[in-house]
Amino acid sequence: MKYRILGGGLRVSAVGLGCMGFSHGYGAPTEHGEAVRAIRAAVDMGYTLFDTAEVYGTQEDPHQNEVLVGEALRDIRDRVQIVSKFGIRFDMTSPEVNKPLIPDARREVIRASVEGSLRRLRTDHIDLYFQHRMDPATEPETVAEVMAELIREGKILHWGISEANEEYLRRAHAVCPVTAVENRYSMMARHYERLFPVLEELGVGLVAFSPMANGLLTGVYGKDAQFDKKCDYRSNMPQFTPEAAEQNRELLTLLRTMAQEKNATPAQISLAWMLCKKPWIVPIPGTRRPERLRENTGAADMMLSPQEVETLDAILETIPMSAVYGGAKIVGKP
């Protein structure tokens, strides 16, 4: 595994592991022991960056993912970087599988969240602590002030903002330097590329979540793919409809063709594309399977030339593709 530097000196594996899917959003949770073994297998493969959040769980066990990550990494804590998040809760009154998000970044809420996360993660510090979504009711300066306090207290080492925009990032960064943003980014979701010049100016890294468009860019899901409508977000994602299969046919053919030329897989091409764009991008694909973990590490060793990346970018500008899931909607406090 190769390594990269995020923001103000946080050294992490070039590919991280998004742990959410073990507990939340992608069907029934993985059996606990199996999930622990998968996370430990990732460590053995060279992964050091493990991404979780206080809300990744089930209705019965809403903090399940942090507990899982904490158990899996507790005896090798000095070898890994743990990412967690604060600042949202789900609107459990909604019947939707991907329930709306209620942002809440009040000072007292942040304080309670970090203490709960530290306890569940079995650690005395969180390496990178993200505001999970911007809260329109709380000024970014206020959030940044709390982050500065937590850094001084040693409870977090770095902080960041998920789904950040330029104004919010600049205002927060002026109070307490931001190490990274964690934004949705893939070949099918490139709207945050307009933020890249700002990230370079401020020295802020990008942790890219959903880097394979929730799995579509692996090429393993056909038009007849079925997902649990009760607990799998993909059952409600536009890129997995039968109509989308035809709309995305040319894109997936492009990935398969390039993968064959490079003796790689479509998943590796989709990750290598972003890894070769900027040295401060770190994707965090999620998977439960050791063979996929190993496949994803291979992307860090792939070298696409600047010309190959530019060619892919040009094709992505014009190639037909379906809509892609853009995240749960944000609602106000009930």
Side-chain angles (χ1 to χ4, degrees):
M1 178 71 79
K2 295 181 179 178
Y3 298 87
R4 296 193 160 197
I5 303 296
L6 291 174
L10 181 60
R11 184 176 184 266
V12 301
S13 52
V15 177
L17 177 59
C19 296
M20 183 183 83
F22 289 114
S23 310
H24 178 88
Y26 286 82
T30 307
E31 189 276 324
H32 187 80
E34 180 183 347
V36 168
R37 288 190 293 273
I39 292 172
R40 292 303 292 251
V43 174
D44 292 340
M45 294 174 197
Y47 286 82
T48 70
L49 186 68
F50 294 86
D51 182 276
T52 182
E54 64 176 346
V55 294
Y56 293 162
T58 64
Q59 190 164 354
E60 297 73 27
D61 188 1
H63 307 302
Q64 184 181 71
N65 203 246
E66 282 190 327
V67 173
L68 166 66
V69 171
E71 178 178 336
L73 301 177
R74 61 178 174 172
D75 62 335
I76 52 169
R77 182 66 184 90
D78 59 338
R79 294 167 49 190
V80 299
Q81 299 84 45
I82 293 177
V83 177
S84 196
K85 310 181 196 75
F86 68 91
I88 63 167
R89 65 182 187 273
F90 293 109
D91 178 5
M92 300 308 294
T93 66
S94 171
E96 300 176 44
V97 61
N98 46 348
K99 298 189 183 305
L101 306 177
I102 301 169
D104 190 348
R106 290 172 294 165
R107 175 181 293 270
E108 62 271 24
V109 171
I110 298 173
R111 283 284 179 178
S113 290
V114 74
E115 296 299 338
S117 291
L118 289 170
R119 183 175 62 253
R120 289 185 292 271
L121 291 165
R122 305 190 188 192
T123 185
D124 62 357
H125 70 278
I126 296 168
D127 298 275
L128 180 53
Y129 200 39
F130 279 110
Q131 182 179 5
H132 211 150
R133 291 293 184 271
M134 297 177 292
D135 179 3
T138 304
E139 298 293 328
E141 291 83 0
T142 299
V143 176
E145 287 169 1
V146 180
M147 295 300 105
E149 293 169 6
L150 294 177
I151 290 171
R152 287 194 296 270
E153 294 165 16
K155 293 181 178 179
I156 69 173
L157 302 187
H158 301 264
W159 86 287
I161 308 157
S162 185
E163 299 281 56
N165 62 33
E166 179 178 353
E167 180 189 3
Y168 196 96
L169 173 61
R170 286 189 182 278
R171 290 174 61 184
H173 186 80
V175 175
C176 182
V178 173
T179 292
V181 298
E182 183 171 314
N183 288 0
R184 183 181 305 275
Y185 185 52
S186 72
M187 286 183 165
M188 296 183 73
R190 299 175 60 201
H191 49 284
Y192 279 118
E193 287 184 355
R194 61 179 177 265
L195 193 62
F196 283 10
V198 180
L199 299 181
E200 292 192 315
E201 174 194 338
L202 300 179
V204 175
L206 169 63
V207 176
F209 76 88
S210 297
M212 290 182 279
N214 307 100
L216 182 79
L217 299 178
T218 63
V220 302
Y221 297 103
K223 65 178 181 179
D224 298 321
Q226 298 292 316
F227 304 103
D228 190 330
K229 295 183 181 300
K230 293 182 179 179
C231 57
D232 195 319
Y233 285 9
R234 291 171 295 185
S235 66
N236 198 34
M237 291 183 182
Q239 69 265 40
F240 291 107
T241 63
E243 299 78 21
E246 178 58 30
Q247 292 172 311
N248 295 320
R249 179 178 54 81
E250 193 173 341
L251 172 61
L252 292 173
T253 298
L254 169 69
L255 284 173
R256 292 189 181 105
T257 300
M258 191 168 190
Q260 188 173 16
E261 293 172 354
K262 297 286 186 180
N263 192 27
T265 67
Q268 289 172 330
I269 296 297
S270 66
L271 294 176
W273 164 78
M274 66 176 66
L275 286 165
C276 292
K277 285 176 78 76
K278 300 291 182 181
W280 37 261
I281 295 177
V282 176
I284 51 167
T287 183
R288 311 184 195 204
R289 297 165 56 185
E291 61 269 28
R292 292 293 184 195
L293 286 167
R294 190 167 297 282
E295 178 183 347
N296 292 342
T297 66
D301 296 319
M302 288 193 63
M303 292 303 300
L304 301 182
S305 70
Q307 182 58 52
E308 287 174 317
V309 172
E310 289 177 12
T311 298
L312 282 172
D313 283 348
I315 294 171
L316 292 172
E317 289 290 342
T318 59
I319 199 169
M321 61 180 73
S322 72
V324 65
Y325 180 64
K329 62 185 177 184
I330 307 292
V331 297
K333 297 178 178 65

